[in-house]
Amino acid sequence: MIITRYAKPALTAANANKASGDSFYHVAPKLDDLRDLPGFTYLGQPFTFHPHGHAAAAYDGATAAASLMKKGFRVFSPIVHSYRIAQVGYLSQTDGEFWEYQDKPFVDAASSLIVLMLPGWEQSKGLAHEIGQFDKARKPIVYVNLSDLDQTT
């Protein structure tokens, strides 16, 4: 199941008559629409409470990123990027404030967000923060399961 949406747009005279409270969204993009955006896509996912541990979370993120790259996406995955660095540098893997600070420039620079809905994604504080930042910036967000990403292409 792939769920897509845009963050709520600013209310303007042109769309004011279409808006109905906080539930108004532009027509949502499809996953493939993100490939053509400038820059790169940010791949957000849960980490701390992944049911199979941190290594499995990083592996799942790398699997998703590789699949997206094979499809022509330019992807930044903070979990994949930071997991090994944290091990080698003896950094806390679960210090949310530290990783939020490290990831902020990438969140700001990314054109869109793909949320990898791994187990625990709805409870992830870090992922919720990232989704909130993309919402606030009115950048497109697409939610995918790992199984949605065809690993053979």
Side-chain angles (χ1 to χ4, degrees), residues 61-116:
T63 300
S67 178
L68 290 163
M69 288 174 173
K70 287 178 185 177
K71 294 174 185 283
F73 287 82
R74 292 176 306 273
V75 178
F76 174 73
S77 170
I79 299 301
V80 176
H81 171 81
S82 303
Y83 176 69
R84 188 69 179 135
I85 293 170
Q87 286 181 319
V88 171
Y90 302 102
L91 303 171
S92 169
Q93 294 180 345
T94 58
D95 181 344
E97 288 184 25
F98 176 81
W99 292 112
E100 182 181 315
Y101 174 78
Q102 292 297 316
D103 296 338
K104 184 181 182 331
F106 298 102
V107 169
D108 292 345
S111 62
S112 58
L113 171 64
I114 296 175
V115 175
L116 186 57

Short mmCIF file of all heavy atoms in Angstrom, two decimals, residues 61-116:
data_model
loop_
_atom_site.label_atom_id
_atom_site.label_comp_id
_atom_site.label_asym_id
_atom_site.label_seq_id
_atom_site.Cartn_x
_atom_site.Cartn_y
_atom_site.Cartn_z
N GLY A 61 16.48 -0.09 5.79
CA GLY A 61 16.64 1.22 5.16
C GLY A 61 17.53 1.15 3.93
O GLY A 61 17.24 1.75 2.89
N ALA A 62 18.63 0.39 4.03
CA ALA A 62 19.53 0.24 2.89
C ALA A 62 18.85 -0.50 1.74
O ALA A 62 19.02 -0.16 0.57
CB ALA A 62 20.80 -0.50 3.32
N THR A 63 18.04 -1.50 2.08
CA THR A 63 17.29 -2.24 1.07
C THR A 63 16.34 -1.32 0.32
O THR A 63 16.26 -1.33 -0.91
CB THR A 63 16.52 -3.41 1.72
OG1 THR A 63 17.46 -4.28 2.36
CG2 THR A 63 15.72 -4.19 0.70
N ALA A 64 15.60 -0.50 1.07
CA ALA A 64 14.66 0.45 0.46
C ALA A 64 15.40 1.49 -0.37
O ALA A 64 15.00 1.79 -1.51
CB ALA A 64 13.82 1.12 1.54
N ALA A 65 16.48 2.04 0.17
CA ALA A 65 17.24 3.06 -0.56
C ALA A 65 17.81 2.49 -1.87
O ALA A 65 17.74 3.13 -2.92
CB ALA A 65 18.37 3.61 0.31
N ALA A 66 18.35 1.27 -1.81
CA ALA A 66 18.90 0.65 -3.01
C ALA A 66 17.82 0.44 -4.06
O ALA A 66 18.03 0.69 -5.25
CB ALA A 66 19.57 -0.68 -2.66
N SER A 67 16.66 -0.01 -3.64
CA SER A 67 15.55 -0.21 -4.57
C SER A 67 15.15 1.10 -5.23
O SER A 67 14.94 1.16 -6.45
CB SER A 67 14.36 -0.83 -3.83
OG SER A 67 13.27 -0.99 -4.72
N LEU A 68 15.05 2.16 -4.44
CA LEU A 68 14.69 3.47 -4.98
C LEU A 68 15.78 3.99 -5.92
O LEU A 68 15.47 4.56 -6.98
CB LEU A 68 14.44 4.46 -3.85
CG LEU A 68 13.17 4.19 -3.04
CD1 LEU A 68 13.21 4.94 -1.71
CD2 LEU A 68 11.93 4.56 -3.84
N MET A 69 17.04 3.78 -5.57
CA MET A 69 18.14 4.23 -6.44
C MET A 69 18.11 3.49 -7.78
O MET A 69 18.35 4.10 -8.82
CB MET A 69 19.48 4.03 -5.73
CG MET A 69 19.71 4.99 -4.60
SD MET A 69 21.24 4.57 -3.72
CE MET A 69 21.36 5.97 -2.63
N LYS A 70 17.82 2.21 -7.74
CA LYS A 70 17.70 1.44 -8.99
C LYS A 70 16.61 1.99 -9.89
O LYS A 70 16.66 1.85 -11.10
CB LYS A 70 17.41 -0.03 -8.69
CG LYS A 70 18.59 -0.79 -8.14
CD LYS A 70 18.20 -2.22 -7.82
CE LYS A 70 19.31 -2.96 -7.16
NZ LYS A 70 18.90 -4.33 -6.77
N LYS A 71 15.61 2.62 -9.28
CA LYS A 71 14.49 3.20 -10.03
C LYS A 71 14.79 4.64 -10.47
O LYS A 71 13.92 5.31 -11.01
CB LYS A 71 13.22 3.18 -9.18
CG LYS A 71 12.69 1.79 -8.88
CD LYS A 71 11.52 1.89 -7.91
CE LYS A 71 11.02 0.55 -7.47
NZ LYS A 71 10.23 -0.15 -8.45
N GLY A 72 15.97 5.14 -10.17
CA GLY A 72 16.36 6.47 -10.60
C GLY A 72 16.18 7.58 -9.58
O GLY A 72 16.40 8.74 -9.88
N PHE A 73 15.83 7.23 -8.35
CA PHE A 73 15.69 8.23 -7.29
C PHE A 73 17.06 8.60 -6.75
O PHE A 73 17.96 7.77 -6.68
CB PHE A 73 14.85 7.68 -6.12
CG PHE A 73 13.39 7.56 -6.41
CD1 PHE A 73 12.88 6.46 -7.09
CD2 PHE A 73 12.50 8.54 -5.99
CE1 PHE A 73 11.53 6.34 -7.35
CE2 PHE A 73 11.15 8.43 -6.24
CZ PHE A 73 10.66 7.33 -6.92
N ARG A 74 17.20 9.85 -6.34
CA ARG A 74 18.36 10.29 -5.58
C ARG A 74 17.89 10.32 -4.13
O ARG A 74 16.99 11.09 -3.79
CB ARG A 74 18.82 11.67 -6.06
CG ARG A 74 19.39 11.62 -7.48
CD ARG A 74 19.75 13.00 -8.01
NE ARG A 74 18.65 13.96 -7.93
CZ ARG A 74 17.71 14.12 -8.86
NH1 ARG A 74 17.72 13.38 -9.94
NH2 ARG A 74 16.76 15.02 -8.69
N VAL A 75 18.47 9.46 -3.30
CA VAL A 75 17.94 9.21 -1.96
C VAL A 75 19.00 9.47 -0.90
O VAL A 75 20.15 9.07 -1.04
CB VAL A 75 17.47 7.74 -1.83
CG1 VAL A 75 16.96 7.45 -0.44
CG2 VAL A 75 16.42 7.42 -2.87
N PHE A 76 18.58 10.13 0.17
CA PHE A 76 19.40 10.22 1.37
C PHE A 76 18.65 9.52 2.49
O PHE A 76 17.51 9.86 2.79
CB PHE A 76 19.68 11.67 1.79
CG PHE A 76 20.40 11.75 3.10
CD1 PHE A 76 21.75 11.41 3.18
CD2 PHE A 76 19.75 12.13 4.26
CE1 PHE A 76 22.42 11.45 4.40
CE2 PHE A 76 20.40 12.17 5.48
CZ PHE A 76 21.74 11.83 5.54
N SER A 77 19.29 8.53 3.10
CA SER A 77 18.72 7.80 4.23
C SER A 77 19.56 8.09 5.47
O SER A 77 20.68 7.59 5.58
CB SER A 77 18.71 6.30 3.94
OG SER A 77 18.36 5.59 5.11
N PRO A 78 19.04 8.87 6.41
CA PRO A 78 19.84 9.20 7.58
C PRO A 78 20.20 7.98 8.43
O PRO A 78 21.27 7.95 9.04
CB PRO A 78 18.97 10.19 8.35
CG PRO A 78 17.58 9.90 7.90
CD PRO A 78 17.71 9.47 6.46
N ILE A 79 19.33 6.99 8.47
CA ILE A 79 19.63 5.78 9.25
C ILE A 79 20.81 5.04 8.63
O ILE A 79 21.77 4.67 9.32
CB ILE A 79 18.39 4.86 9.36
CG1 ILE A 79 17.24 5.58 10.06
CG2 ILE A 79 18.75 3.55 10.05
CD1 ILE A 79 17.51 6.06 11.46
N VAL A 80 20.73 4.82 7.33
CA VAL A 80 21.81 4.10 6.64
C VAL A 80 23.11 4.89 6.74
O VAL A 80 24.17 4.33 7.01
CB VAL A 80 21.43 3.82 5.17
CG1 VAL A 80 22.57 3.16 4.43
CG2 VAL A 80 20.17 2.95 5.11
N HIS A 81 23.02 6.19 6.54
CA HIS A 81 24.20 7.06 6.60
C HIS A 81 24.84 7.04 8.00
O HIS A 81 26.06 6.96 8.12
CB HIS A 81 23.78 8.49 6.24
CG HIS A 81 24.84 9.51 6.47
ND1 HIS A 81 25.87 9.73 5.57
CD2 HIS A 81 25.04 10.38 7.49
CE1 HIS A 81 26.66 10.68 6.04
NE2 HIS A 81 26.17 11.10 7.20
N SER A 82 24.03 7.10 9.03
CA SER A 82 24.53 7.32 10.38
C SER A 82 24.82 6.06 11.19
O SER A 82 25.58 6.11 12.15
CB SER A 82 23.53 8.18 11.16
OG SER A 82 23.30 9.39 10.49
N TYR A 83 24.21 4.95 10.82
CA TYR A 83 24.32 3.73 11.64
C TYR A 83 25.78 3.32 11.83
O TYR A 83 26.25 3.15 12.96
CB TYR A 83 23.51 2.60 11.02
CG TYR A 83 23.66 1.29 11.76
CD1 TYR A 83 23.12 1.13 13.03
CD2 TYR A 83 24.36 0.22 11.20
CE1 TYR A 83 23.26 -0.05 13.72
CE2 TYR A 83 24.50 -0.97 11.89
CZ TYR A 83 23.95 -1.10 13.15
OH TYR A 83 24.09 -2.28 13.84
N ARG A 84 26.51 3.17 10.75
CA ARG A 84 27.91 2.73 10.85
C ARG A 84 28.80 3.81 11.47
O ARG A 84 29.71 3.50 12.23
CB ARG A 84 28.42 2.31 9.48
CG ARG A 84 29.77 1.67 9.52
CD ARG A 84 29.73 0.29 10.17
NE ARG A 84 31.07 -0.29 10.15
CZ ARG A 84 31.62 -0.90 11.18
NH1 ARG A 84 30.94 -1.09 12.28
NH2 ARG A 84 32.84 -1.37 11.09
N ILE A 85 28.51 5.06 11.14
CA ILE A 85 29.28 6.16 11.72
C ILE A 85 29.14 6.14 13.25
O ILE A 85 30.13 6.30 13.97
CB ILE A 85 28.81 7.52 11.16
CG1 ILE A 85 29.15 7.62 9.67
CG2 ILE A 85 29.42 8.68 11.94
CD1 ILE A 85 28.53 8.81 8.96
N ALA A 86 27.94 5.92 13.73
CA ALA A 86 27.71 5.86 15.18
C ALA A 86 28.48 4.71 15.80
O ALA A 86 29.05 4.86 16.90
CB ALA A 86 26.22 5.74 15.48
N GLN A 87 28.53 3.57 15.13
CA GLN A 87 29.28 2.43 15.66
C GLN A 87 30.77 2.73 15.74
O GLN A 87 31.41 2.53 16.78
CB GLN A 87 29.07 1.20 14.78
CG GLN A 87 27.72 0.55 14.91
CD GLN A 87 27.62 -0.67 14.01
OE1 GLN A 87 28.07 -0.66 12.86
NE2 GLN A 87 27.02 -1.72 14.54
N VAL A 88 31.32 3.19 14.64
CA VAL A 88 32.76 3.44 14.56
C VAL A 88 33.18 4.57 15.49
O VAL A 88 34.23 4.51 16.13
CB VAL A 88 33.17 3.75 13.09
CG1 VAL A 88 34.61 4.24 13.01
CG2 VAL A 88 32.97 2.52 12.23
N GLY A 89 32.34 5.60 15.59
CA GLY A 89 32.67 6.77 16.41
C GLY A 89 32.20 6.69 17.84
O GLY A 89 32.33 7.66 18.58
N TYR A 90 31.65 5.55 18.24
CA TYR A 90 31.13 5.37 19.60
C TYR A 90 30.14 6.47 19.97
O TYR A 90 30.18 7.04 21.06
CB TYR A 90 32.27 5.29 20.62
CG TYR A 90 33.24 4.19 20.33
CD1 TYR A 90 34.46 4.46 19.74
CD2 TYR A 90 32.90 2.86 20.60
CE1 TYR A 90 35.35 3.43 19.44
CE2 TYR A 90 33.78 1.83 20.30
CZ TYR A 90 35.00 2.12 19.72
OH TYR A 90 35.86 1.10 19.42
N LEU A 91 29.23 6.77 19.03
CA LEU A 91 28.20 7.77 19.25
C LEU A 91 26.92 7.07 19.71
O LEU A 91 26.66 5.93 19.33
CB LEU A 91 27.90 8.53 17.95
CG LEU A 91 29.08 9.24 17.30
CD1 LEU A 91 28.68 9.76 15.92
CD2 LEU A 91 29.57 10.37 18.18
N SER A 92 26.13 7.76 20.48
CA SER A 92 24.83 7.21 20.87
C SER A 92 23.98 7.04 19.62
O SER A 92 23.85 7.95 18.82
CB SER A 92 24.12 8.13 21.85
OG SER A 92 22.77 7.71 22.01
N GLN A 93 23.39 5.87 19.48
CA GLN A 93 22.52 5.63 18.33
C GLN A 93 21.09 6.08 18.61
O GLN A 93 20.28 6.14 17.69
CB GLN A 93 22.53 4.15 17.96
CG GLN A 93 23.88 3.69 17.45
CD GLN A 93 23.90 2.23 17.08
OE1 GLN A 93 23.01 1.46 17.42
NE2 GLN A 93 24.93 1.83 16.36
N THR A 94 20.80 6.41 19.84
CA THR A 94 19.41 6.73 20.21
C THR A 94 19.23 8.10 20.85
O THR A 94 18.19 8.38 21.41
CB THR A 94 18.86 5.65 21.17
OG1 THR A 94 19.70 5.59 22.32
CG2 THR A 94 18.81 4.29 20.49
N ASP A 95 20.23 8.97 20.74
CA ASP A 95 20.11 10.32 21.28
C ASP A 95 19.38 11.18 20.25
O ASP A 95 19.96 11.70 19.30
CB ASP A 95 21.50 10.90 21.56
CG ASP A 95 21.47 12.30 22.13
OD1 ASP A 95 20.42 12.98 22.05
OD2 ASP A 95 22.52 12.74 22.66
N GLY A 96 18.06 11.30 20.44
CA GLY A 96 17.22 11.99 19.47
C GLY A 96 17.64 13.42 19.19
O GLY A 96 17.62 13.85 18.03
N GLU A 97 18.02 14.16 20.22
CA GLU A 97 18.43 15.55 20.01
C GLU A 97 19.68 15.63 19.15
O GLU A 97 19.78 16.49 18.27
CB GLU A 97 18.66 16.25 21.35
CG GLU A 97 17.38 16.54 22.09
CD GLU A 97 17.62 17.31 23.38
OE1 GLU A 97 18.66 18.01 23.49
OE2 GLU A 97 16.77 17.21 24.27
N PHE A 98 20.65 14.75 19.41
CA PHE A 98 21.89 14.74 18.63
C PHE A 98 21.60 14.46 17.16
O PHE A 98 22.08 15.17 16.27
CB PHE A 98 22.86 13.68 19.20
CG PHE A 98 24.12 13.54 18.39
CD1 PHE A 98 25.16 14.43 18.56
CD2 PHE A 98 24.26 12.52 17.46
CE1 PHE A 98 26.33 14.31 17.82
CE2 PHE A 98 25.43 12.39 16.71
CZ PHE A 98 26.46 13.29 16.90
N TRP A 99 20.79 13.42 16.88
CA TRP A 99 20.53 13.04 15.49
C TRP A 99 19.61 14.03 14.80
O TRP A 99 19.73 14.26 13.59
CB TRP A 99 20.02 11.60 15.42
CG TRP A 99 21.12 10.66 15.80
CD1 TRP A 99 21.17 9.88 16.92
CD2 TRP A 99 22.34 10.44 15.10
NE1 TRP A 99 22.35 9.19 16.96
CE2 TRP A 99 23.10 9.53 15.85
CE3 TRP A 99 22.89 10.95 13.93
CZ2 TRP A 99 24.36 9.09 15.46
CZ3 TRP A 99 24.15 10.53 13.53
CH2 TRP A 99 24.87 9.61 14.28
N GLU A 100 18.70 14.65 15.54
CA GLU A 100 17.87 15.70 14.95
C GLU A 100 18.76 16.85 14.47
O GLU A 100 18.57 17.39 13.37
CB GLU A 100 16.86 16.19 15.98
CG GLU A 100 15.91 17.25 15.46
CD GLU A 100 14.94 17.73 16.54
OE1 GLU A 100 14.40 16.89 17.26
OE2 GLU A 100 14.75 18.96 16.63
N TYR A 101 19.74 17.22 15.28
CA TYR A 101 20.69 18.28 14.91
C TYR A 101 21.51 17.87 13.68
O TYR A 101 21.71 18.68 12.77
CB TYR A 101 21.62 18.56 16.11
CG TYR A 101 22.73 19.54 15.80
CD1 TYR A 101 22.48 20.90 15.74
CD2 TYR A 101 24.02 19.08 15.55
CE1 TYR A 101 23.50 21.80 15.46
CE2 TYR A 101 25.05 19.98 15.27
CZ TYR A 101 24.78 21.33 15.21
OH TYR A 101 25.78 22.21 14.92
N GLN A 102 21.97 16.62 13.65
CA GLN A 102 22.77 16.14 12.52
C GLN A 102 21.95 16.08 11.22
O GLN A 102 22.45 16.37 10.14
CB GLN A 102 23.34 14.75 12.82
CG GLN A 102 24.38 14.73 13.91
CD GLN A 102 25.61 15.54 13.53
OE1 GLN A 102 26.11 15.48 12.42
NE2 GLN A 102 26.11 16.32 14.48
N ASP A 103 20.68 15.70 11.34
CA ASP A 103 19.84 15.48 10.15
C ASP A 103 19.14 16.73 9.65
O ASP A 103 18.66 16.77 8.51
CB ASP A 103 18.79 14.40 10.44
CG ASP A 103 19.43 13.04 10.70
OD1 ASP A 103 20.58 12.82 10.29
OD2 ASP A 103 18.76 12.20 11.35
N LYS A 104 19.07 17.78 10.46
CA LYS A 104 18.32 18.99 10.08
C LYS A 104 18.73 19.56 8.72
O LYS A 104 17.84 19.89 7.91
CB LYS A 104 18.43 20.06 11.16
CG LYS A 104 17.56 21.29 10.83
CD LYS A 104 17.69 22.36 11.87
CE LYS A 104 16.81 23.57 11.62
NZ LYS A 104 16.48 23.91 10.27
N PRO A 105 20.01 19.69 8.40
CA PRO A 105 20.36 20.24 7.08
C PRO A 105 19.83 19.39 5.92
O PRO A 105 19.48 19.92 4.87
CB PRO A 105 21.89 20.27 7.07
CG PRO A 105 22.29 20.21 8.51
CD PRO A 105 21.20 19.46 9.22
N PHE A 106 19.75 18.09 6.12
CA PHE A 106 19.25 17.20 5.07
C PHE A 106 17.73 17.31 4.95
O PHE A 106 17.18 17.28 3.84
CB PHE A 106 19.67 15.76 5.35
CG PHE A 106 21.16 15.58 5.36
CD1 PHE A 106 21.84 15.48 6.56
CD2 PHE A 106 21.87 15.53 4.18
CE1 PHE A 106 23.22 15.32 6.59
CE2 PHE A 106 23.26 15.39 4.19
CZ PHE A 106 23.94 15.29 5.39
N VAL A 107 17.04 17.44 6.08
CA VAL A 107 15.59 17.65 6.07
C VAL A 107 15.28 18.95 5.33
O VAL A 107 14.40 19.00 4.48
CB VAL A 107 15.01 17.67 7.50
CG1 VAL A 107 13.57 18.16 7.51
CG2 VAL A 107 15.12 16.29 8.15
N ASP A 108 16.03 20.00 5.66
CA ASP A 108 15.81 21.31 5.03
C ASP A 108 16.07 21.27 3.53
O ASP A 108 15.36 21.91 2.75
CB ASP A 108 16.68 22.38 5.68
CG ASP A 108 16.29 22.68 7.12
OD1 ASP A 108 15.18 22.28 7.55
OD2 ASP A 108 17.11 23.31 7.82
N ALA A 109 17.10 20.55 3.11
CA ALA A 109 17.51 20.54 1.70
C ALA A 109 16.71 19.57 0.83
O ALA A 109 16.64 19.75 -0.39
CB ALA A 109 19.00 20.19 1.60
N ALA A 110 16.12 18.55 1.41
CA ALA A 110 15.41 17.53 0.63
C ALA A 110 14.17 18.11 -0.03
O ALA A 110 13.50 18.99 0.52
CB ALA A 110 15.02 16.36 1.53
N SER A 111 13.86 17.59 -1.21
CA SER A 111 12.68 18.05 -1.95
C SER A 111 11.41 17.34 -1.51
O SER A 111 10.31 17.86 -1.73
CB SER A 111 12.89 17.84 -3.44
OG SER A 111 13.05 16.46 -3.73
N SER A 112 11.56 16.16 -0.89
CA SER A 112 10.39 15.36 -0.52
C SER A 112 10.79 14.33 0.53
O SER A 112 11.98 14.14 0.79
CB SER A 112 9.82 14.66 -1.75
OG SER A 112 10.81 13.84 -2.35
N LEU A 113 9.78 13.68 1.07
CA LEU A 113 9.99 12.65 2.10
C LEU A 113 9.28 11.36 1.69
O LEU A 113 8.11 11.40 1.31
CB LEU A 113 9.42 13.13 3.44
CG LEU A 113 9.35 12.11 4.59
CD1 LEU A 113 10.74 11.66 5.01
CD2 LEU A 113 8.59 12.70 5.78
N ILE A 114 10.01 10.27 1.74
CA ILE A 114 9.41 8.94 1.64
C ILE A 114 9.49 8.33 3.03
O ILE A 114 10.56 8.23 3.61
CB ILE A 114 10.13 8.05 0.62
CG1 ILE A 114 10.00 8.63 -0.79
CG2 ILE A 114 9.58 6.62 0.68
CD1 ILE A 114 10.78 7.88 -1.85
N VAL A 115 8.32 7.98 3.58
CA VAL A 115 8.26 7.36 4.90
C VAL A 115 8.19 5.86 4.70
O VAL A 115 7.26 5.34 4.09
CB VAL A 115 7.02 7.85 5.69
CG1 VAL A 115 6.90 7.10 7.02
CG2 VAL A 115 7.09 9.35 5.92
N LEU A 116 9.19 5.15 5.21
CA LEU A 116 9.23 3.70 5.15
C LEU A 116 8.48 3.17 6.37
O LEU A 116 8.93 3.32 7.50
CB LEU A 116 10.68 3.22 5.13
CG LEU A 116 10.92 1.74 4.93
CD1 LEU A 116 10.28 1.23 3.63
CD2 LEU A 116 12.42 1.46 4.92
#
